[in-house]
Amino acid sequence: MTEVQGEAISRILGAASFAAERHRDQRRKGKDASPYINHPLALASLLAGCGERDPTVLMAALLHDTVEDTATTFAELEQAFGPEVAGIVREVTDDKALPKAERKRLQIEHAAHLSRRAMLVKLADKICNLRDILVSPPTDWGAQRKREYFDWAKAVVDPMRGVHPRLEALFDEVYARKPAAAP
Ligand code: ZN
């Protein structure tokens, strides 16, 4: 391993432990209520598995929910991980002051204007969320709610088409498993 690679691994692991610390009291919404950190780890691992080697993207994936879902600020991320990582997290963070429906609409509207790196994080997020819904859906979600979520995720992903064919193929694979409408 070169010194540069060693440095990158150390920064990536630093982001993973920062995220683990910030999300330590949170659980995923799914029925198995897994530790929240499993979700950012799943994004980073999916991206790395698809050949993504940019440490900035992997770190942003690990940190992508820290501002939206914990008391972490962008200034803190910038201080600890630099302006590029903080900038990507900013691009994929919803404004929680807005009503949920508006936030969901804005994700679709903003998708085409994201930086390439932010698109990769966003795509991985949508793939992981759909996979989670299939494996461990929130207990109060019926088929219709799941179907709506799948369609919304696709509406966010479609404007980003062309950014990463391999990730898009993985998205299409999981989207194809959209639950059937309740009879
Ligand atoms: Zn997420």
Side-chain angles (χ1 to χ4, degrees):
M1 192 191 300
T2 66
E3 201 169 318
V4 174
Q5 287 168 332
E7 168 74 14
I9 288 175
S10 155
R11 292 174 67 222
I12 292 163
L13 291 173
S17 52
F18 182 97
E21 168 68 22
R22 294 307 163 104
H23 291 297
R24 68 184 181 279
D25 295 326
Q26 297 171 327
R27 296 268 162 177
R28 293 287 284 166
K29 269 188 304 210
K31 64 172 160 48
D32 62 7
S34 60
Y36 198 92
I37 189 62
N38 291 4
H39 168 63
L41 286 172
L43 263 71
S45 149
L46 173 69
L47 287 162
C50 281
E52 186 53 50
R53 292 292 175 264
D54 180 354
T56 303
V57 169
L58 299 176
M59 291 164 75
L62 289 165
L63 297 163
H64 79 281
D65 277 334
T66 55
V67 175
E68 196 167 301
D69 293 334
T70 80
T72 305
T73 64
F74 292 118
E76 262 183 298
L77 291 184
E78 189 166 335
Q79 169 86 29
F81 304 105
E84 287 188 317
V85 171
I88 299 168
V89 175
R90 188 186 290 276
E91 284 188 85
V92 301
T93 296
D94 285 353
D95 179 354
K96 279 206 151 168
L98 299 172
K100 184 129 192 215
E102 176 67 358
R103 278 155 49 194
K104 295 193 93 168
R105 191 188 67 75
L106 284 173
Q107 279 204 35
I108 300 171
E109 195 177 299
H110 291 162
H113 310 290
L114 297 176
S115 67
R116 179 176 184 279
R117 284 159 151 177
M119 284 186 184
L120 301 184
V121 174
K122 182 67 81 178
L123 249 171
D125 194 26
K126 294 294 177 261
I127 295 166
C128 291
N129 283 337
L130 294 195
R131 286 178 175 178
D132 282 354
I133 286 172
L134 292 175
V135 176
S136 175
T139 43
D140 56 344
W141 281 31
Q144 189 52 33
R145 176 112 186 241
K146 292 178 197 167
R147 288 169 60 80
E148 281 166 18
Y149 191 93
F150 269 62
D151 288 335
W152 168 70
K154 185 173 185 297
V156 176
V157 165
D158 280 343
M160 305 190 282
R161 296 277 173 185
V163 68
H164 197 296
R166 197 159 157 201
L167 279 175
E168 289 159 48
L170 289 177
F171 178 84
D172 292 336
E173 228 166 75
V174 65
Y175 180 79
R177 296 167 63 203
K178 179 169 106 171

